[in-house]
Amino acid sequence: VAGAVRRGRAADRFVVTTGVVGLSAPPFAVGLLLLVVFAAWLGWFPVYGTGEGLAERIRHLTLPAAALAVGAVGMLVRFSRAALIRELDQDYVVFARARGLSGAGVLAYALRNSLVPILTAAGLVVTGMLAGTVLVEVTFALPGLGSLLVDSVTFKDVPVVQALALLLTLLIAAVNLLVDVGYSLADPRVRLGGRAS
């Protein structure tokens, strides 16, 4: 939002640069970098495993979550900025400003109308994370579906590979369904089933 509102200024350049860096970094590479810096050099976080108890589990899962989040945030920043810039250039924003609507009110209208592309990006992020967790789990030695999939492929356990592929397919279909439902909630012009009135 700051990048779209302050287009061409230092804040916008910082947002764009950060988004490109985050989007370009693969999760497993970010995970390795986080392990080297925060686990090996600084010793703030453990190198591998899941830990015992809630506090230790959160501590163990912080670096894997950060590794997955870097790319997700980069994609959401890029999509959100582009969608909001497009909406701020629309005629209804000019008319709202001409009628004396405050900057926050105009921004609220523009944000609501830019939600459809942002929801699309969020769906892509979630489905990408489902695939990206495989490498992140292996990087941080976490037991999970990704590690199970890698082990099943290594040991040629075809039924488990098929079951996990089916599960991931169902999860991706569920995410896409939720995104489609979100379209109808974000934009009243989008209707689920039937004809628009």
Short mmCIF file of all heavy atoms in Angstrom, two decimals, residues 43-104:
data_model
loop_
_atom_site.label_atom_id
_atom_site.label_comp_id
_atom_site.label_asym_id
_atom_site.label_seq_id
_atom_site.Cartn_x
_atom_site.Cartn_y
_atom_site.Cartn_z
N GLY A 43 23.27 -18.65 16.88
CA GLY A 43 22.79 -19.62 17.85
C GLY A 43 21.45 -19.28 18.47
O GLY A 43 21.12 -19.76 19.56
N TRP A 44 20.65 -18.45 17.81
CA TRP A 44 19.35 -18.04 18.36
C TRP A 44 18.29 -19.13 18.21
O TRP A 44 17.37 -19.21 19.01
CB TRP A 44 18.85 -16.78 17.68
CG TRP A 44 19.67 -15.57 17.98
CD1 TRP A 44 20.70 -15.45 18.88
CD2 TRP A 44 19.55 -14.29 17.36
NE1 TRP A 44 21.21 -14.20 18.86
CE2 TRP A 44 20.53 -13.44 17.94
CE3 TRP A 44 18.72 -13.77 16.38
CZ2 TRP A 44 20.69 -12.12 17.57
CZ3 TRP A 44 18.88 -12.45 16.03
CH2 TRP A 44 19.85 -11.63 16.61
N PHE A 45 18.40 -19.93 17.16
CA PHE A 45 17.40 -20.96 16.88
C PHE A 45 18.10 -22.31 16.70
O PHE A 45 19.26 -22.36 16.33
CB PHE A 45 16.62 -20.60 15.60
CG PHE A 45 15.81 -19.35 15.74
CD1 PHE A 45 16.27 -18.14 15.25
CD2 PHE A 45 14.57 -19.38 16.37
CE1 PHE A 45 15.53 -16.99 15.37
CE2 PHE A 45 13.83 -18.23 16.50
CZ PHE A 45 14.31 -17.02 16.01
N PRO A 46 17.37 -23.40 16.93
CA PRO A 46 17.96 -24.73 16.72
C PRO A 46 18.13 -25.03 15.23
O PRO A 46 17.45 -24.45 14.39
CB PRO A 46 16.94 -25.67 17.36
CG PRO A 46 15.68 -24.90 17.41
CD PRO A 46 16.04 -23.45 17.49
N VAL A 47 19.05 -25.93 14.94
CA VAL A 47 19.36 -26.25 13.55
C VAL A 47 18.33 -27.18 12.94
O VAL A 47 17.96 -27.02 11.78
CB VAL A 47 20.77 -26.89 13.46
CG1 VAL A 47 21.09 -27.31 12.04
CG2 VAL A 47 21.81 -25.92 13.97
N TYR A 48 17.83 -28.15 13.69
CA TYR A 48 16.88 -29.12 13.12
C TYR A 48 15.97 -29.64 14.22
O TYR A 48 16.19 -29.40 15.41
CB TYR A 48 17.62 -30.27 12.44
CG TYR A 48 18.44 -31.11 13.38
CD1 TYR A 48 17.89 -32.21 14.03
CD2 TYR A 48 19.76 -30.79 13.65
CE1 TYR A 48 18.63 -32.97 14.91
CE2 TYR A 48 20.51 -31.54 14.51
CZ TYR A 48 19.94 -32.63 15.15
OH TYR A 48 20.67 -33.36 16.02
N GLY A 49 14.96 -30.41 13.81
CA GLY A 49 14.05 -31.06 14.75
C GLY A 49 12.81 -30.24 15.03
O GLY A 49 12.62 -29.14 14.51
N THR A 50 11.93 -30.83 15.88
CA THR A 50 10.65 -30.18 16.18
C THR A 50 10.55 -29.67 17.60
O THR A 50 9.72 -28.82 17.88
CB THR A 50 9.49 -31.15 15.94
OG1 THR A 50 9.69 -32.31 16.74
CG2 THR A 50 9.39 -31.54 14.48
N GLY A 51 11.35 -30.16 18.53
CA GLY A 51 11.32 -29.68 19.91
C GLY A 51 10.21 -30.32 20.73
O GLY A 51 9.32 -30.98 20.21
N GLU A 52 10.28 -30.10 22.03
CA GLU A 52 9.28 -30.64 22.98
C GLU A 52 8.56 -29.47 23.63
O GLU A 52 9.18 -28.51 24.05
CB GLU A 52 9.99 -31.47 24.06
CG GLU A 52 10.69 -32.71 23.53
CD GLU A 52 9.73 -33.75 22.99
OE1 GLU A 52 8.61 -33.85 23.52
OE2 GLU A 52 10.09 -34.44 22.03
N GLY A 53 7.25 -29.57 23.73
CA GLY A 53 6.46 -28.50 24.34
C GLY A 53 6.16 -27.39 23.35
O GLY A 53 6.81 -27.26 22.30
N LEU A 54 5.18 -26.56 23.68
CA LEU A 54 4.71 -25.53 22.76
C LEU A 54 5.78 -24.48 22.47
O LEU A 54 6.02 -24.12 21.31
CB LEU A 54 3.44 -24.87 23.32
CG LEU A 54 2.83 -23.77 22.45
CD1 LEU A 54 2.38 -24.35 21.11
CD2 LEU A 54 1.69 -23.09 23.16
N ALA A 55 6.43 -23.97 23.50
CA ALA A 55 7.43 -22.91 23.30
C ALA A 55 8.59 -23.41 22.44
O ALA A 55 9.06 -22.70 21.54
CB ALA A 55 7.93 -22.42 24.65
N GLU A 56 9.05 -24.62 22.70
CA GLU A 56 10.15 -25.17 21.91
C GLU A 56 9.74 -25.47 20.48
O GLU A 56 10.52 -25.29 19.55
CB GLU A 56 10.71 -26.43 22.57
CG GLU A 56 11.70 -26.16 23.66
CD GLU A 56 12.93 -25.40 23.16
OE1 GLU A 56 13.57 -25.86 22.20
OE2 GLU A 56 13.21 -24.33 23.72
N ARG A 57 8.50 -25.91 20.30
CA ARG A 57 8.02 -26.16 18.93
C ARG A 57 7.98 -24.86 18.13
O ARG A 57 8.35 -24.83 16.96
CB ARG A 57 6.66 -26.83 18.94
CG ARG A 57 6.74 -28.30 19.29
CD ARG A 57 5.38 -28.96 19.19
NE ARG A 57 5.48 -30.30 19.72
CZ ARG A 57 5.54 -31.37 18.97
NH1 ARG A 57 5.51 -31.27 17.67
NH2 ARG A 57 5.62 -32.56 19.52
N ILE A 58 7.48 -23.80 18.77
CA ILE A 58 7.43 -22.50 18.08
C ILE A 58 8.85 -22.05 17.73
O ILE A 58 9.11 -21.56 16.63
CB ILE A 58 6.70 -21.47 18.95
CG1 ILE A 58 5.21 -21.81 19.02
CG2 ILE A 58 6.91 -20.06 18.42
CD1 ILE A 58 4.41 -20.96 19.96
N ARG A 59 9.77 -22.24 18.66
CA ARG A 59 11.16 -21.86 18.42
C ARG A 59 11.76 -22.67 17.27
O ARG A 59 12.49 -22.14 16.43
CB ARG A 59 11.96 -22.08 19.70
CG ARG A 59 13.32 -21.47 19.69
CD ARG A 59 13.89 -21.40 21.10
NE ARG A 59 15.29 -21.08 21.02
CZ ARG A 59 16.27 -21.96 21.09
NH1 ARG A 59 16.01 -23.23 21.28
NH2 ARG A 59 17.52 -21.58 20.99
N HIS A 60 11.45 -23.96 17.21
CA HIS A 60 11.97 -24.81 16.14
C HIS A 60 11.34 -24.50 14.79
O HIS A 60 11.96 -24.72 13.75
CB HIS A 60 11.75 -26.29 16.47
CG HIS A 60 12.78 -26.86 17.38
ND1 HIS A 60 12.80 -26.63 18.73
CD2 HIS A 60 13.85 -27.66 17.13
CE1 HIS A 60 13.82 -27.27 19.28
NE2 HIS A 60 14.47 -27.91 18.33
N LEU A 61 10.10 -24.04 14.78
CA LEU A 61 9.39 -23.80 13.51
C LEU A 61 9.52 -22.37 13.02
O LEU A 61 9.01 -22.04 11.94
CB LEU A 61 7.91 -24.17 13.67
CG LEU A 61 7.63 -25.66 13.88
CD1 LEU A 61 6.14 -25.89 14.11
CD2 LEU A 61 8.12 -26.47 12.70
N THR A 62 10.20 -21.50 13.76
CA THR A 62 10.32 -20.11 13.35
C THR A 62 11.10 -19.96 12.06
O THR A 62 10.66 -19.28 11.12
CB THR A 62 10.99 -19.28 14.47
OG1 THR A 62 10.19 -19.37 15.64
CG2 THR A 62 11.13 -17.82 14.06
N LEU A 63 12.26 -20.59 11.95
CA LEU A 63 13.07 -20.47 10.73
C LEU A 63 12.40 -21.11 9.51
O LEU A 63 12.41 -20.51 8.43
CB LEU A 63 14.46 -21.05 10.95
CG LEU A 63 15.38 -20.26 11.90
CD1 LEU A 63 16.74 -20.92 12.00
CD2 LEU A 63 15.51 -18.83 11.48
N PRO A 64 11.79 -22.32 9.64
CA PRO A 64 11.08 -22.85 8.47
C PRO A 64 9.92 -21.96 8.03
O PRO A 64 9.70 -21.77 6.83
CB PRO A 64 10.57 -24.22 8.95
CG PRO A 64 11.46 -24.59 10.07
CD PRO A 64 11.90 -23.32 10.71
N ALA A 65 9.19 -21.39 8.99
CA ALA A 65 8.08 -20.50 8.63
C ALA A 65 8.61 -19.25 7.93
O ALA A 65 8.03 -18.78 6.94
CB ALA A 65 7.29 -20.12 9.88
N ALA A 66 9.73 -18.71 8.42
CA ALA A 66 10.32 -17.53 7.77
C ALA A 66 10.80 -17.86 6.37
O ALA A 66 10.64 -17.06 5.44
CB ALA A 66 11.47 -17.00 8.62
N ALA A 67 11.37 -19.05 6.18
CA ALA A 67 11.84 -19.45 4.86
C ALA A 67 10.69 -19.54 3.86
O ALA A 67 10.82 -19.14 2.70
CB ALA A 67 12.57 -20.79 4.93
N LEU A 68 9.55 -20.05 4.31
CA LEU A 68 8.38 -20.11 3.43
C LEU A 68 7.75 -18.74 3.22
O LEU A 68 7.21 -18.45 2.16
CB LEU A 68 7.34 -21.07 4.01
CG LEU A 68 7.64 -22.56 3.89
CD1 LEU A 68 6.64 -23.36 4.69
CD2 LEU A 68 7.62 -22.98 2.43
N ALA A 69 7.82 -17.89 4.24
CA ALA A 69 7.13 -16.60 4.17
C ALA A 69 7.82 -15.59 3.26
O ALA A 69 7.15 -14.72 2.71
CB ALA A 69 7.00 -16.01 5.58
N VAL A 70 9.12 -15.70 3.09
CA VAL A 70 9.84 -14.70 2.30
C VAL A 70 9.29 -14.64 0.87
O VAL A 70 8.98 -13.56 0.36
CB VAL A 70 11.36 -14.99 2.30
CG1 VAL A 70 12.09 -14.18 1.25
CG2 VAL A 70 11.93 -14.70 3.67
N GLY A 71 9.17 -15.77 0.22
CA GLY A 71 8.63 -15.78 -1.14
C GLY A 71 7.17 -15.39 -1.20
O GLY A 71 6.73 -14.70 -2.11
N ALA A 72 6.40 -15.82 -0.19
CA ALA A 72 4.98 -15.49 -0.15
C ALA A 72 4.77 -13.99 -0.02
O ALA A 72 3.95 -13.39 -0.72
CB ALA A 72 4.30 -16.22 1.00
N VAL A 73 5.52 -13.37 0.87
CA VAL A 73 5.40 -11.93 1.06
C VAL A 73 5.82 -11.19 -0.20
O VAL A 73 5.18 -10.22 -0.60
CB VAL A 73 6.22 -11.49 2.30
CG1 VAL A 73 6.34 -9.98 2.37
CG2 VAL A 73 5.58 -12.02 3.57
N GLY A 74 6.88 -11.65 -0.84
CA GLY A 74 7.33 -11.01 -2.07
C GLY A 74 6.26 -11.02 -3.14
O GLY A 74 6.01 -10.01 -3.80
N MET A 75 5.60 -12.17 -3.32
CA MET A 75 4.55 -12.25 -4.34
C MET A 75 3.35 -11.39 -3.96
O MET A 75 2.80 -10.67 -4.81
CB MET A 75 4.11 -13.70 -4.54
CG MET A 75 3.03 -13.84 -5.61
SD MET A 75 2.55 -15.53 -5.92
CE MET A 75 3.89 -16.03 -6.98
N LEU A 76 2.92 -11.44 -2.71
CA LEU A 76 1.77 -10.63 -2.29
C LEU A 76 2.06 -9.14 -2.40
O LEU A 76 1.17 -8.36 -2.77
CB LEU A 76 1.36 -10.99 -0.87
CG LEU A 76 0.63 -12.31 -0.72
CD1 LEU A 76 0.36 -12.63 0.73
CD2 LEU A 76 -0.68 -12.30 -1.51
N VAL A 77 3.28 -8.73 -2.09
CA VAL A 77 3.65 -7.32 -2.21
C VAL A 77 3.56 -6.88 -3.67
O VAL A 77 3.00 -5.83 -3.98
CB VAL A 77 5.07 -7.09 -1.64
CG1 VAL A 77 5.66 -5.77 -2.11
CG2 VAL A 77 5.03 -7.13 -0.12
N ARG A 78 4.09 -7.68 -4.57
CA ARG A 78 4.07 -7.31 -5.99
C ARG A 78 2.64 -7.22 -6.53
O ARG A 78 2.28 -6.26 -7.20
CB ARG A 78 4.87 -8.32 -6.81
CG ARG A 78 6.33 -8.40 -6.50
CD ARG A 78 7.08 -7.24 -7.05
NE ARG A 78 6.85 -7.17 -8.48
CZ ARG A 78 7.62 -6.55 -9.33
NH1 ARG A 78 8.67 -5.93 -8.89
NH2 ARG A 78 7.35 -6.51 -10.61
N PHE A 79 1.82 -8.24 -6.24
CA PHE A 79 0.44 -8.24 -6.73
C PHE A 79 -0.37 -7.12 -6.11
O PHE A 79 -1.16 -6.46 -6.78
CB PHE A 79 -0.22 -9.59 -6.44
CG PHE A 79 -0.02 -10.60 -7.52
CD1 PHE A 79 1.16 -11.30 -7.63
CD2 PHE A 79 -1.03 -10.88 -8.43
CE1 PHE A 79 1.35 -12.24 -8.63
CE2 PHE A 79 -0.85 -11.81 -9.44
CZ PHE A 79 0.35 -12.49 -9.53
N SER A 80 -0.20 -6.91 -4.80
CA SER A 80 -0.98 -5.88 -4.11
C SER A 80 -0.64 -4.49 -4.63
O SER A 80 -1.53 -3.67 -4.87
CB SER A 80 -0.73 -5.94 -2.60
OG SER A 80 -1.07 -7.18 -2.09
N ARG A 81 0.63 -4.24 -4.81
CA ARG A 81 1.05 -2.93 -5.31
C ARG A 81 0.50 -2.68 -6.71
O ARG A 81 -0.06 -1.61 -6.99
CB ARG A 81 2.58 -2.85 -5.33
CG ARG A 81 3.12 -1.55 -5.87
CD ARG A 81 4.64 -1.57 -5.98
NE ARG A 81 5.12 -0.41 -6.67
CZ ARG A 81 5.19 -0.28 -8.00
NH1 ARG A 81 4.80 -1.27 -8.78
NH2 ARG A 81 5.64 0.83 -8.55
N ALA A 82 0.64 -3.66 -7.60
CA ALA A 82 0.16 -3.48 -8.99
C ALA A 82 -1.36 -3.30 -9.02
O ALA A 82 -1.87 -2.44 -9.75
CB ALA A 82 0.57 -4.68 -9.83
N ALA A 83 -2.09 -4.09 -8.23
CA ALA A 83 -3.55 -3.98 -8.22
C ALA A 83 -4.01 -2.64 -7.67
O ALA A 83 -4.93 -2.02 -8.19
CB ALA A 83 -4.16 -5.12 -7.41
N LEU A 84 -3.34 -2.18 -6.61
CA LEU A 84 -3.74 -0.91 -6.01
C LEU A 84 -3.38 0.27 -6.91
O LEU A 84 -4.16 1.23 -7.03
CB LEU A 84 -3.09 -0.76 -4.64
CG LEU A 84 -3.59 0.39 -3.79
CD1 LEU A 84 -5.10 0.34 -3.61
CD2 LEU A 84 -2.91 0.40 -2.44
N ILE A 85 -2.26 0.20 -7.60
CA ILE A 85 -1.90 1.28 -8.54
C ILE A 85 -2.93 1.35 -9.65
O ILE A 85 -3.36 2.44 -10.05
CB ILE A 85 -0.48 1.05 -9.10
CG1 ILE A 85 0.56 1.42 -8.06
CG2 ILE A 85 -0.25 1.84 -10.38
CD1 ILE A 85 1.98 1.12 -8.45
N ARG A 86 -3.35 0.18 -10.16
CA ARG A 86 -4.37 0.18 -11.22
C ARG A 86 -5.67 0.80 -10.74
O ARG A 86 -6.30 1.59 -11.45
CB ARG A 86 -4.60 -1.25 -11.71
CG ARG A 86 -5.42 -1.29 -12.99
CD ARG A 86 -5.86 -2.66 -13.38
NE ARG A 86 -6.93 -3.07 -12.48
CZ ARG A 86 -6.98 -4.22 -11.84
NH1 ARG A 86 -6.03 -5.11 -12.00
NH2 ARG A 86 -7.98 -4.50 -11.04
N GLU A 87 -6.08 0.47 -9.51
CA GLU A 87 -7.33 1.03 -8.99
C GLU A 87 -7.22 2.52 -8.70
O GLU A 87 -8.17 3.25 -8.89
CB GLU A 87 -7.75 0.27 -7.72
CG GLU A 87 -8.24 -1.13 -7.97
CD GLU A 87 -9.42 -1.21 -8.92
OE1 GLU A 87 -10.32 -0.35 -8.83
OE2 GLU A 87 -9.44 -2.12 -9.76
N LEU A 88 -6.07 2.97 -8.23
CA LEU A 88 -5.91 4.40 -7.93
C LEU A 88 -5.91 5.25 -9.19
O LEU A 88 -6.11 6.47 -9.11
CB LEU A 88 -4.61 4.63 -7.13
CG LEU A 88 -4.63 4.15 -5.68
CD1 LEU A 88 -3.25 4.27 -5.05
CD2 LEU A 88 -5.67 4.90 -4.86
N ASP A 89 -5.69 4.64 -10.36
CA ASP A 89 -5.73 5.37 -11.63
C ASP A 89 -7.12 5.38 -12.25
O ASP A 89 -7.31 5.96 -13.33
CB ASP A 89 -4.74 4.76 -12.62
CG ASP A 89 -3.30 5.08 -12.26
OD1 ASP A 89 -3.08 6.05 -11.50
OD2 ASP A 89 -2.39 4.36 -12.72
N GLN A 90 -8.10 4.74 -11.62
CA GLN A 90 -9.45 4.66 -12.18
C GLN A 90 -10.20 5.98 -11.99
O GLN A 90 -9.90 6.78 -11.11
CB GLN A 90 -10.24 3.53 -11.51
CG GLN A 90 -9.66 2.15 -11.74
CD GLN A 90 -9.71 1.74 -13.20
OE1 GLN A 90 -10.68 2.00 -13.90
NE2 GLN A 90 -8.66 1.09 -13.66
N ASP A 91 -11.23 6.17 -12.82
CA ASP A 91 -12.00 7.41 -12.79
C ASP A 91 -12.75 7.60 -11.47
O ASP A 91 -12.88 8.72 -10.99
CB ASP A 91 -13.01 7.44 -13.94
CG ASP A 91 -12.32 7.60 -15.29
OD1 ASP A 91 -11.17 8.10 -15.31
OD2 ASP A 91 -12.93 7.24 -16.31
N TYR A 92 -13.24 6.52 -10.86
CA TYR A 92 -14.02 6.69 -9.63
C TYR A 92 -13.17 7.26 -8.50
O TYR A 92 -13.69 7.94 -7.61
CB TYR A 92 -14.69 5.38 -9.22
CG TYR A 92 -13.77 4.33 -8.64
CD1 TYR A 92 -13.52 4.29 -7.28
CD2 TYR A 92 -13.18 3.37 -9.45
CE1 TYR A 92 -12.68 3.33 -6.74
CE2 TYR A 92 -12.34 2.41 -8.92
CZ TYR A 92 -12.10 2.39 -7.57
OH TYR A 92 -11.27 1.45 -7.04
N VAL A 93 -11.86 7.00 -8.53
CA VAL A 93 -10.98 7.58 -7.51
C VAL A 93 -10.84 9.08 -7.72
O VAL A 93 -10.89 9.86 -6.76
CB VAL A 93 -9.60 6.88 -7.54
CG1 VAL A 93 -8.60 7.57 -6.64
CG2 VAL A 93 -9.74 5.42 -7.13
N VAL A 94 -10.69 9.49 -8.98
CA VAL A 94 -10.61 10.92 -9.28
C VAL A 94 -11.90 11.62 -8.87
O VAL A 94 -11.87 12.70 -8.24
CB VAL A 94 -10.34 11.13 -10.80
CG1 VAL A 94 -10.37 12.60 -11.15
CG2 VAL A 94 -9.01 10.50 -11.18
N PHE A 95 -13.06 11.02 -9.17
CA PHE A 95 -14.34 11.62 -8.80
C PHE A 95 -14.52 11.67 -7.28
O PHE A 95 -15.05 12.63 -6.74
CB PHE A 95 -15.51 10.87 -9.43
CG PHE A 95 -15.55 10.99 -10.93
CD1 PHE A 95 -15.84 9.89 -11.72
CD2 PHE A 95 -15.28 12.19 -11.56
CE1 PHE A 95 -15.87 9.99 -13.10
CE2 PHE A 95 -15.31 12.31 -12.94
CZ PHE A 95 -15.61 11.21 -13.71
N ALA A 96 -14.07 10.62 -6.58
CA ALA A 96 -14.19 10.60 -5.12
C ALA A 96 -13.34 11.70 -4.50
O ALA A 96 -13.78 12.38 -3.56
CB ALA A 96 -13.78 9.23 -4.58
N ARG A 97 -12.15 11.89 -5.04
CA ARG A 97 -11.29 12.97 -4.53
C ARG A 97 -11.90 14.33 -4.85
O ARG A 97 -11.83 15.26 -4.04
CB ARG A 97 -9.89 12.87 -5.12
CG ARG A 97 -9.09 11.74 -4.55
CD ARG A 97 -7.69 11.70 -5.11
NE ARG A 97 -6.92 10.64 -4.48
CZ ARG A 97 -6.04 9.88 -5.09
NH1 ARG A 97 -5.79 10.06 -6.37
NH2 ARG A 97 -5.40 8.95 -4.44
N ALA A 98 -12.48 14.47 -6.05
CA ALA A 98 -13.08 15.75 -6.45
C ALA A 98 -14.29 16.09 -5.58
O ALA A 98 -14.56 17.27 -5.34
CB ALA A 98 -13.49 15.69 -7.92
N ARG A 99 -14.99 15.07 -5.09
CA ARG A 99 -16.15 15.32 -4.23
C ARG A 99 -15.76 15.55 -2.78
O ARG A 99 -16.62 15.78 -1.94
CB ARG A 99 -17.11 14.14 -4.33
CG ARG A 99 -17.72 14.04 -5.72
CD ARG A 99 -18.71 12.97 -5.81
NE ARG A 99 -19.89 13.32 -5.01
CZ ARG A 99 -20.96 12.56 -4.91
NH1 ARG A 99 -21.00 11.41 -5.54
NH2 ARG A 99 -21.98 12.93 -4.18
N GLY A 100 -14.46 15.50 -2.48
CA GLY A 100 -13.98 15.84 -1.15
C GLY A 100 -13.83 14.68 -0.20
O GLY A 100 -13.68 14.89 1.01
N LEU A 101 -13.86 13.45 -0.71
CA LEU A 101 -13.67 12.28 0.15
C LEU A 101 -12.22 12.28 0.65
O LEU A 101 -11.30 12.60 -0.08
CB LEU A 101 -13.97 11.00 -0.62
CG LEU A 101 -14.11 9.72 0.20
CD1 LEU A 101 -15.30 9.83 1.15
CD2 LEU A 101 -14.30 8.53 -0.72
N SER A 102 -12.04 11.92 1.91
CA SER A 102 -10.71 11.93 2.51
C SER A 102 -9.81 10.90 1.83
O SER A 102 -10.28 9.95 1.19
CB SER A 102 -10.80 11.63 4.00
OG SER A 102 -11.20 10.29 4.20
N GLY A 103 -8.51 11.08 2.02
CA GLY A 103 -7.54 10.15 1.43
C GLY A 103 -7.73 8.73 1.94
O GLY A 103 -7.61 7.77 1.18
N ALA A 104 -8.06 8.59 3.23
CA ALA A 104 -8.28 7.25 3.80
C ALA A 104 -9.54 6.61 3.21
O ALA A 104 -9.57 5.41 2.94
CB ALA A 104 -8.39 7.33 5.32
#
